[in-house]
Amino acid sequence: MQNTATPTVHITLDGKPLEVPAGISVAAAVLGHAHAEHTCKHPVDGSARAPYCLMGVCFECLMEINGEPNVQSCLVTVQEGMTVRRQLSGESA
Amino acid sequence: MDRNTDLIVIGAGPAGLSAACAARACGLEVTLIDEQAAPGGQLFRNIETPMAQAILDPKDRETGLALVNRFRSCGATYYPCATVWGLEPHKVSCTINGKAESFSASYIVIAPGGMERPVPFPGWTLPGVMGAGGADILLRSGGTLSAERGTPVVLAGNGPLLILLACHLLNAGVNIAAWLDTGTWGRRLQSGALMPAGILDAAYLGKGLGMACRILKNRVPIIRGVTGIRAEGTDHVEKVLYEAGGKTHEIATRTLLRHEGIIPRTHILNSLGARHAWDTVQRYWYPVTDEFGHTSVDSVYIAGDGTYVHGGDASLLKGTLAGIEIARRLGVISNDEAHYRCAPALRALRRTRIARGFLRYAFAPNPAIFDLPDDTLVCRCECVTAGDIRKAVAEGFLDVNEVKRVTRCGMGQCQGRMCGPALAELTAAAQAKSPAAVGTLQVRQPFRPVTLENYCDLNIPK
């Protein structure tokens, strides 16, 4: 699927390296390329959740990006060297 | 930083881009602010990348690229990756690269677009359940829906966009295990009376029929009259259950995509107290405007599907009209000149509205989709169930804002974007009323999360 002409960037997801196309959102990289089963444990009921809308509406894609928690990862573009962590502890920041 | 211009456009979708281009062509100074990293909005998302171009059909690709190129060279000041969290007449507050910024202008055009109608159902919070539009974004980002290609996907819902999305899935080689149709035949028969007008827009009709034929040719199993959809699994969807023909059926799947039509995004205008009207067939609120998108708040215009969902090509026309009308009101072009410039877009827009009148009925949401079991989570953020809402109504809380305050439904981080429509439907149904009679959620600014630092930068005098 990946076009050879598409430039890529390197990020880390929970400490593991990942190469994804440049220009896509962090949520799309984690869900569509890394195929993470879920992206957070819900702070209220502790259930596993994953992005629903991918366009800034649902707030289910909150992740820690470059150390900043609760970022809407569907609205952030992947950058070379970016550090992404899923919020799996269920603690609200 | 405070910059003053003639016009601020919010949103870089078809409507926002064409509004900016039209206003620039009249000689206005234009600033466009958008939350995405590249222009295109949802319809033409990532249009400048080969990944997105691969799954769009050639005509959409051409229209989208032409628009984006026209915008890039029109001379508007463009701020991508901006989160707009505050708006009042003549003033926009936002965060760009972590810094609070404010912009001021004589006029503001909001082009928020539409969003998929969020419809709760049991198990909709399970990973693997997504909006069909969300899945489309994954494909356009060069991604796949699951680690192994060819894993079957279940589509559920109703709406013209679902046909387009199904074609995109087929383009990407996705195996569609079933299409669970939730539409109502009563409404579809009603649409028949308006169908002949569709000929006014033969190209559009032809495109729709062509896509429907492709889906049939690919032998996607379509199951009609589906109710009671629910997803089950531990920490991920494993199977989908539904009722059809009086029986319960089950399909094993790791991906369920739900789509129940597109509704206008009204959050920003609601926070300004702009006047809205209720569409009894499409069951959504839309702002009351004139043909140029002028809202009930002076100096604030709206363009695109945010005014009423007519689709992408209508959005281009609406944007053009708003841009020209604002130039006229500023006195930059004369009334005659504005009339001359607007005429083709006005004609085309009127024709499109008539030609697509039947879609309103053909893809009307079935009110029964909100007939949810008591234990269904409605508010994903605060974990409020349908039963909690019904209990509040039984206790005498009759307006959605009252129900919100006692249940916390709509008080989470999404600020009621995902639960608002269902909250209104459930509150109304429990009183045997129309959702139009139970109020709309009061949206307060900031309408996006903002750090205290950014907020204070713009709101506390130094």
Side-chain angles (χ1 to χ4, degrees):
Chain A
M1 182 75 200
Q2 222 171 86
N3 196 314
T4 44
T6 309
T8 58
V9 297
H10 301 81
I11 64 171
T12 65
L13 173 62
D14 298 329
K16 292 197 195 83
L18 187 63
E19 186 180 355
V20 295
I24 71 172
S25 72
V26 173
V30 172
L31 205 61
H33 292 269
H35 299 290
E37 289 273 290
H38 54 267
T39 53
C40 72
K41 290 282 181 163
H42 197 269
V44 175
D45 68 359
S47 63
R49 299 280 179 97
Y52 189 88
C53 76
L54 283 166
M55 53 172 273
V57 176
C58 73
F59 286 73
E60 293 281 18
C61 64
L62 301 185
M63 283 189 256
E64 188 188 299
I65 300 178
N66 289 340
E68 189 186 343
N70 296 326
V71 179
Q72 276 183 283
S73 63
C74 70
L75 295 178
V76 176
T77 307
V78 287
Q79 305 285 349
E80 184 63 37
M82 195 175 243
T83 321
V84 180
R85 287 192 171 278
R86 295 184 290 157
Q87 300 186 162
L88 302 180
S89 63
E91 291 156 15
S92 187
Chain B
M1 173 166 59
D2 194 85
R3 308 171 190 82
N4 190 16
T5 60
D6 295 325
L7 170 65
I8 297 170
V9 178
I10 300 169
L17 295 179
S18 66
C21 291
R24 280 293 303 144
C26 295
L28 301 197
E29 209 175 286
V30 179
T31 296
L32 187 139
I33 308 171
D34 186 49
E35 67 186 3
Q36 287 189 40
Q42 303 307 335
L43 185 62
F44 300 131
R45 177 183 274 266
N46 295 1
I47 187 90
E48 293 165 306
T49 68
M51 300 173 295
Q53 290 169 10
I55 73 156
L56 289 177
D57 80 48
K59 196 168 164 281
D60 287 347
R61 191 161 61 213
E62 205 178 293
T63 316
L65 272 176
L67 176 67
V68 167
N69 291 339
R70 196 150 59 90
F71 168 72
R72 290 240 189 234
S73 59
C74 82
T77 311
Y78 172 44
Y79 293 95
C81 302
T83 303
V84 174
W85 44 262
L87 191 143
E88 53 192 271
H90 311 297
K91 190 179 166 216
V92 175
S93 306
C94 57
T95 300
I96 303 174
N97 294 329
K99 251 185 88 205
E101 309 276 5
S102 89
F103 296 90
S104 54
S106 306
Y107 288 93
I108 296 174
V109 172
I110 308 171
M115 59 179 258
E116 286 188 305
R117 180 194 315 273
V119 176
F121 57 94
W124 77 312
T125 54
L126 283 172
V129 180
M130 289 179 79
D136 196 55
I137 292 172
L138 276 190
L139 298 180
R140 287 188 204 206
S141 308
T144 51
L145 295 177
S146 55
E148 304 100 61
R149 294 199 62 187
T151 321
V153 166
V154 176
L155 293 184
N158 172 39
L161 200 70
L162 197 53
I163 301 174
L164 179 73
L165 300 180
C167 285
H168 286 174
L169 289 171
L170 294 173
N171 286 353
V174 174
N175 169 15
I176 303 175
W179 174 312
L180 310 179
D181 176 22
T182 59
T184 58
W185 284 94
R187 286 295 196 199
R188 283 184 187 160
L189 291 175
Q190 257 180 305
S191 78
L194 297 166
M195 203 90 82
I199 205 74
L200 286 172
D201 195 352
Y204 182 80
L205 206 60
K207 185 183 166 195
L209 289 175
M211 289 192 299
C213 286
R214 258 208 79 203
I215 290 162
L216 293 176
K217 220 167 80 191
N218 277 272
R219 293 174 207 263
V220 173
I222 300 176
I223 297 137
R224 310 213 183 269
V226 170
T227 56
I229 293 170
R230 53 197 188 279
E232 288 183 3
T234 314
D235 283 355
H236 202 282
V237 57
E238 284 152 21
K239 61 184 178 185
V240 180
L241 295 100
Y242 62 93
E243 323 282 328
K247 277 199 230 138
T248 303
H249 305 263
E250 187 183 312
I251 307 176
T253 185
R254 299 277 295 168
T255 312
L256 169 62
L257 307 179
R258 185 87 195 254
H259 177 85
E260 290 290 348
I262 301 288
I263 62 173
R265 291 176 80 169
T266 54
H267 236 66
I268 297 181
L269 276 186
N270 264 335
S271 76
L272 293 176
R275 218 150 67 76
H276 286 74
W278 174 255
D279 186 303
T280 53
V281 176
Q282 275 294 324
R283 305 182 83 82
Y284 59 59
W285 291 97
Y286 61 95
V288 178
T289 67
D290 65 10
E291 274 191 304
F292 302 97
H294 191 200
T295 69
S296 64
V297 182
D298 196 32
S299 83
V300 177
Y301 283 69
I302 183 157
D305 276 353
T307 68
Y308 190 96
V309 181
H310 292 108
D313 33 11
S315 295
L316 287 169
L317 301 170
K318 292 178 195 173
T320 302
L321 290 173
I324 299 170
E325 170 66 2
I326 288 166
R328 187 193 68 82
R329 283 189 68 188
L330 280 168
V332 174
I333 58 172
S334 68
N335 287 350
D336 285 346
E337 163 118 31
H339 185 76
Y340 173 76
R341 282 178 184 245
C342 282
L346 267 181
R347 260 199 313 275
L349 185 58
R350 284 175 194 154
R351 194 175 55 228
T352 305
R353 278 188 183 145
I354 296 168
R356 298 190 190 169
F358 76 94
L359 290 177
R360 176 170 173 243
Y361 291 92
F363 297 104
N366 185 347
I369 55 178
F370 292 104
D371 201 357
L372 304 167
D374 270 344
D375 59 356
T376 314
L377 271 193
V378 172
C379 177
R380 300 172 68 107
C381 305
E382 294 290 330
C383 301
V384 181
T385 65
D388 295 333
I389 294 168
R390 293 183 181 123
K391 185 164 157 273
V393 175
E395 284 167 1
F397 300 99
L398 305 181
D399 176 280
V400 284
N401 289 296
E402 293 172 353
V403 177
K404 167 177 145 182
R405 277 178 220 121
V406 293
T407 62
R408 294 197 57 80
C409 184
M411 287 169 107
Q413 59 255 29
C414 89
Q415 293 175 285
R417 288 173 173 89
M418 289 298 280
C419 64
L423 168 63
E425 293 279 356
L426 288 162
T427 304
Q431 307 172 54
K433 281 186 183 167
S434 154
V438 295
T440 52
L441 281 183
Q442 173 74 52
V443 180
R444 293 184 203 285
Q445 300 195 11
F447 37 72
R448 285 250 173 212
V450 51
T451 62
L452 206 49
E453 185 192 2
N454 285 162
Y455 187 84
C456 292
D457 274 346
L458 298 187
N459 288 281
I460 303 216
K462 298 222 167 63

